[in-house]
Amino acid sequence: GAESSPSASNDNEKTEGVVLNPNFKFNMDDVVGLCKRRGFVFQSSEIYNGFNGFYDYGPLGVELKQNIKRVWWRDMVHRREDMVGLDSSIIASPAIWKASGHVDGFSDPMVDCKVSKQRYRYGKVELEDGSLLGYISLMESGTMQEEADKMADKMKRKAARQGTLRKVVLREVADCPHDELPLVPSPATGEPGSLTPPRAFNLMFQTQVGALADASATAYLRPETAQGIFVNFKNVQQTSRAKIPFGIAQIGKAFRNEITPRNFIFRSREFEQMEIEYFIPPDDEAWPRFHEEWIKNCHDWLLSIGVRQDLLERDVHPKEKLAHYARACTDIAFKFPFGRSELLGVAARGDFDLSAHAAASSKKMDYACEETKRKYVPHVIEPSIGVDRLFLALVCSAYDEDVVSGEPRSVLRFKPSVAPIKCAILPLVKNKEELVTKARGIFSKLQMRYNVAWDASGAIGRRYRRMDEVG
């Protein structure tokens, strides 16, 4: 389950018979159930038994999503003098993806089980003295570590071995050494020998542009929004007369053919990104300061819209795990009910992207600095966050429970800036014309500025309840 709720600090708080539950915990099934029940998120193509990795946002979900994007744009673009916006096309020249390295290198290693064709984790089962009992494998899930520990204990009992087990460290089967792969059983069969060697699987969706369906017509749905910013760097800089340091922001859809989409909207095949490419001088002393500033800005912004601080942590990527062109990368991770995972990333990308596109297109991507009278290819700091992941983090941060007359009930406590419904008008009675007319007048005035709900049916307590549950 997730960490304890916001009510944890209000153990004795009571409001008109409402008692906050300090021990409330929830899991992903609770979140998915609430999102479906109250019209936040639906499985795509549900009447056709769904379509894995795709989701539809319902009436309240689309409001929350729009509010997230609106507040981000307001704070990151409109309220800064050093930022401008862009909306680039989803499908662009395939030469862009060739130059950026996505055509040749944007892939995941994939291991097939000849029976189930799924992706797995594996682990060695060893005693503390280093003796090997065997290998286990299992499907990826939020409870896979607990499952692995039980499987290891069962293997030890079956082998009738004494001694203490080492903790099982789970890894991608695709990372398994070739000489060990034949020893790893498939979860589908329980027997070793059915897993294929790893092979590269490109994550970009292909499509055809124009009437001819040959190789020359092949194009891609963009797997990220960043490249649209890089190839428009000169256009934007010159038309907006921007001076470095400055940033270009974009919100847009991206598509990745994930091998195993999972954890609800956290990892899906169609998603929305909010990205900034912040261009800075190439000096070695410049990027650490800008990088740290953007990490702090992003962290503070997450708190300002209602992401719980106790569920956030910072992850600094070790140098050996960085992309070959990156100088540094720091993630802000969130403790989701299924485990801790990346919510937002801030990368120092150097000048890799602009230089790659300059070389591939034979078009200059340099900047002429008026103050220093020098020309250079700018370096980049890239803060990036997925709208869908942030949506899920906000729901998890706002999800709470209180108890009324001994009955628990779920509540969402959104910050007003992102709440899908800003105000509800609930007339006590609907058969008094004077009261209803006044209530309607208030409703109409508030509608001019906010998304407002009108609810005149049912007991007043039940109407309050409906509004509490949607935040």
Side-chain angles (χ1 to χ4, degrees):
E3 300 293 310
S4 57
S5 73
S7 60
S9 59
N10 302 303
D11 292 357
N12 302 314
E13 186 176 338
K14 296 184 180 181
T15 310
E16 298 179 1
V18 176
V19 182
L20 302 180
N21 181 1
N23 301 314
F24 173 56
K25 291 191 176 182
F26 57 90
N27 57 36
M28 278 304 295
D29 289 340
D30 299 321
V31 175
V32 174
L34 175 67
C35 286
K36 169 71 187 297
R37 185 172 68 251
R38 295 317 308 263
F40 282 92
V41 183
F42 308 129
Q43 176 69 54
S44 177
S45 314
E46 190 176 279
I47 64 171
Y48 293 101
N49 299 318
F51 198 46
N52 194 23
F54 297 91
Y55 293 91
D56 300 332
Y57 286 80
L60 291 179
V62 77
E63 293 294 335
L64 176 56
K65 205 175 182 190
Q66 286 295 110
N67 289 343
I68 290 169
K69 293 186 286 185
R70 180 184 55 79
V71 173
W72 185 86
W73 198 263
R74 180 198 72 190
D75 293 344
M76 298 297 177
V77 181
H78 289 170
R79 291 184 175 176
R80 294 182 61 116
E81 291 184 48
D82 57 349
M83 293 290 300
V84 293
L86 180 73
D87 184 8
S88 63
S89 63
I90 287 172
I91 297 174
S93 168
I96 290 175
W97 307 111
K98 183 72 175 171
S100 68
H102 284 78
V103 171
D104 298 323
F106 191 62
S107 59
D108 268 357
M110 184 171 70
V111 170
D112 279 344
C113 166
K114 296 159 191 172
V115 177
S116 68
K117 298 187 175 13
Q118 294 290 331
R119 174 191 275 188
Y120 309 119
R121 298 271 177 169
Y122 86 102
K124 288 183 182 180
V125 180
E126 298 174 303
L127 295 173
E128 284 292 357
D129 63 10
S131 56
L132 177 68
L133 296 183
Y135 293 83
I136 59 171
S137 66
L138 65 168
M139 297 287 293
E140 286 193 344
S141 73
T143 59
M144 58 188 176
Q145 187 62 56
E146 292 88 342
E147 292 172 38
D149 293 339
K150 288 178 184 175
M151 292 167 73
D153 191 57
K154 184 178 178 181
M155 183 179 285
K156 177 190 166 190
R157 291 199 310 271
K158 191 173 179 180
R161 294 290 297 273
Q162 300 297 315
T164 305
L165 282 171
R166 287 180 177 173
K167 186 173 180 63
V168 178
V169 178
L170 292 173
R171 298 181 174 88
E172 291 269 10
V173 174
D175 297 333
C176 182
H178 287 292
D179 58 335
E180 293 182 14
L181 191 62
L183 306 175
V184 178
S186 163
T189 64
E191 299 295 328
S194 65
L195 298 178
T196 64
R199 68 180 192 275
F201 175 80
N202 196 288
L203 299 177
M204 287 198 294
F205 280 104
Q206 284 192 22
T207 188
Q208 302 292 319
V209 175
L212 294 176
D214 58 15
S216 66
T218 298
Y220 304 93
L221 303 186
R222 66 183 180 195
E224 63 177 30
T225 60
Q227 299 305 320
I229 296 177
F230 291 126
V231 298
N232 276 292
F233 166 71
K234 292 291 278 189
N235 284 337
V236 173
Q237 188 271 317
Q238 290 172 355
T239 55
S240 62
R241 296 167 54 236
K243 294 183 178 180
I244 285 178
F246 80 98
I248 303 174
Q250 180 167 212
I251 300 175
K253 285 283 183 86
F255 306 83
R256 293 181 187 177
N257 193 12
E258 295 284 355
I259 300 171
T260 50
R262 59 196 180 275
N263 295 326
F264 194 36
I265 57 175
F266 177 82
R267 189 180 299 282
S268 54
R269 291 178 168 130
E270 177 184 339
F271 54 96
E272 203 159 4
Q273 290 183 306
M274 301 188 295
E275 285 195 310
I276 292 168
E277 303 303 332
Y278 195 77
F279 299 97
I280 62 172
D283 312 306
D284 286 340
E285 67 274 11
W287 72 264
R289 174 172 61 87
F290 286 110
H291 188 236
E292 186 57 40
E293 280 178 9
W294 274 108
I295 295 169
K296 185 179 186 307
N297 288 346
C298 292
H299 182 270
D300 291 348
W301 183 79
L302 290 173
L303 299 181
S304 76
I305 64 167
V307 178
R308 283 171 51 192
Q309 183 162 13
D310 59 308
L311 299 182
L312 290 176
E313 291 180 353
R314 186 186 286 200
D315 280 343
V316 178
H317 290 214
K319 285 188 176 180
E320 63 271 16
K321 293 288 182 72
L322 291 172
H324 65 90
Y325 53 80
R327 293 186 158 200
C329 185
T330 297
D331 292 340
I332 297 176
F334 184 85
K335 296 175 189 172
F336 293 97
F338 56 78
R340 183 176 172 280
S341 203
E342 177 196 347
L343 174 62
L344 180 150
V346 183
R349 295 179 66 108
D351 64 356
F352 170 78
D353 299 276
L354 289 180
S355 295
H357 289 302
S361 67
S362 301
K363 305 290 194 304
K364 289 184 177 180
M365 289 287 183
D366 54 6
Y367 169 80
C369 179
E370 293 179 6
E371 294 177 5
T372 61
K373 307 299 182 189
R374 65 171 177 151
K375 282 188 176 183
Y376 56 80
V377 176
H379 283 213
V380 170
I381 304 294
E382 179 190 75
S384 176
I385 187 168
V387 179
D388 311 82
R389 288 188 181 189
L390 181 52
F391 182 109
L392 184 57
L394 283 171
V395 170
C396 292
S397 295
Y399 198 18
D400 202 0
E401 185 178 85
D402 55 25
V403 181
V404 181
S405 303
E407 182 185 344
R409 60 180 199 170
S410 55
V411 180
L412 287 174
R413 307 185 191 281
F414 288 121
K415 281 283 185 79
S417 60
V418 296
I421 297 173
K422 305 299 187 194
C423 181
I425 308 299
L426 316 172
L428 286 170
V429 291
K430 54 184 177 183
N431 57 0
K432 286 192 176 179
E433 188 178 338
E434 183 183 358
L435 181 66
V436 173
T437 301
K438 278 197 171 184
R440 270 286 171 192
I442 295 170
F443 177 71
S444 298
K445 285 182 178 178
L446 289 172
Q447 263 191 319
M448 301 296 288
R449 183 172 294 184
Y450 306 113
N451 183 38
V452 190
W454 171 272
D455 192 350
S457 61
I460 188 66
R462 202 165 281 172
R463 285 183 272 163
Y464 275 128
R465 172 82 195 89
R466 286 197 287 259
M467 290 299 114
D468 286 344
E469 193 176 28
V470 300

